[in-house]
Amino acid sequence: MVENDENKRRRLVEFKDGCRYGKFGKTKAYELIAHERIRAYKMGGKTLIDLDSVDEYHASLPRVEARAS
């Protein structure tokens, strides 16, 4: 865990674990990072994904409405 500006701990995990947590593949993860939908950080040669940003991304997804019959 890493401290951020607001003195709140970041939940950073390795890339593979972030994909598993977010239930998306690596291609989608890189797309989300490029479009700044989720946050990622480099530590040496490793890419770490911020799980809070994955939660924010999931919360922003539109809800599926049932069709009227």
Side-chain angles (χ1 to χ4, degrees):
M1 303 274 180
V2 178
E3 300 283 333
N4 67 11
D5 297 338
E6 301 163 357
N7 243 0
K8 180 181 166 192
R9 290 183 157 266
R10 289 186 187 158
R11 297 185 306 146
L12 300 178
V13 296
E14 290 189 22
F15 187 83
K16 179 174 65 173
D17 297 325
C19 291
R20 188 176 304 122
Y21 178 83
K23 298 190 175 21
F24 41 71
K26 65 180 185 177
T27 301
K28 183 65 173 180
Y30 283 121
E31 178 185 313
L32 293 171
I33 293 165
H35 291 279
E36 298 182 355
R37 299 295 309 269
I38 64 173
R39 291 182 297 277
Y41 302 90
K42 291 298 269 187
M43 183 175 73
K46 293 185 179 183
T47 300
L48 304 175
I49 293 179
D50 184 333
L51 295 183
D52 291 327
S53 70
V54 174
D55 290 340
E56 292 165 9
Y57 167 69
H58 283 161
S60 74
L61 294 174
R63 183 175 172 205
V64 175
E65 299 292 330
R67 292 186 190 185
S69 297

